[in-house]
Amino acid sequence: MIASILWFQDTALRLGEDQALNLGEIWVAGGFMMWPLGAALATGVLIIVWKLVDLQLKGGSNKKVLTAADELISVGNLDEALDLCNNSGAPAAMVLQAGLSRYDEGTERATQAIENAGAIQVAGLEKGLVWLATLANVAPLLGFLGTVIGMIQAFQAIEIAGEVEATLVAGGIKVALITTATGLTIAIPINIFHNYFVTKIDRLVIDMEESAQRLIDALHEREARRATG
């Protein structure tokens, strides 16, 4: 941990020959807008780590319960499939459990229960994504705001000095643009992870929908056999 902190302090942004800014100088030069940008970064990292773990666990449990439930449903062991789903906390199990618990009430009631449970589980899978999307949009805006504030301060310095000096203008603009670069640096990876999570959730939802459709088909066949019997 100490080594990581020392690396962070010694890391420098290369600007040109014999010119560099270490991260500590960048933080100070960016002004007070670096604090909300830092908060956005910390929040984004926490959400990303949480969603990586959450979706990995739910994806594994989903695959396991869907494989076992599909086998039981295919041979008509609906009661065993219901017991399996009752003993699993996977999102797919909750969806199938809603339909299996009402299969004696008719296919229409079971289908409605599956749709309702599916909507709830999808909402659970998507939890946190709205925050990532918000951070991906807000971080660049915070950076641009910091840049505008920095430019105002630079022109104010010129006004106070009473003359335009190249070093004064260049230094002020460089400092002002630091917040824009920081905002974009935060927003780009957050947006990438957001899209990755959306894609992964879509795959999980498709798997659940396919399994739910197989259950509905099995219930239709069950009703058809009862009608003809």
Side-chain angles (χ1 to χ4, degrees), residues 91 94-95 98 112-125 205 208:
M94 299 298 99
V95 174
Q112 185 62 49
I114 289 173
E115 291 176 354
N116 293 338
I120 294 172
Q121 295 305 315
V122 170
L125 289 172
V205 171
M208 290 191 294

Side-chain angles (χ1 to χ4, degrees), residues 35-54:
W35 288 102
L37 286 169
L41 174 61
T43 304
V45 170
L46 289 175
I47 295 175
I48 287 170
V49 172
W50 165 54
K51 291 303 293 183
L52 283 172
V53 175
D54 182 59

Side-chain angles (χ1 to χ4, degrees), residues 73-84:
I73 292 171
S74 63
V75 296
N77 293 334
L78 301 185
D79 291 328
E80 292 184 24
L82 178 58
D83 290 337
L84 173 68

Side-chain angles (χ1 to χ4, degrees), residues 77-134:
N77 293 334
L78 301 185
D79 291 328
E80 292 184 24
L82 178 58
D83 290 337
L84 173 68
C85 293
N86 286 334
N87 295 325
S88 175
M94 299 298 99
V95 174
L96 295 179
Q97 186 271 343
L100 288 167
S101 62
R102 290 173 172 81
Y103 71 83
D104 281 335
E105 299 176 15
T107 304
E108 185 175 348
R109 289 292 300 275
T111 301
Q112 185 62 49
I114 289 173
E115 291 176 354
N116 293 338
I120 294 172
Q121 295 305 315
V122 170
L125 289 172
E126 293 178 345
K127 187 179 298 182
L129 293 188
V130 66
W131 286 105
L132 284 183
T134 300

Side-chain angles (χ1 to χ4, degrees), residues 38 56 72 79 100 113 121 123 145 176 183 193-194 203 214 222 224:
Q56 183 65 30
L72 294 172
D79 291 328
L100 288 167
Q121 295 305 315
L145 177 59
F193 274 105
H194 175 271
R203 289 199 296 265
R214 285 191 288 270
R222 183 186 180 92

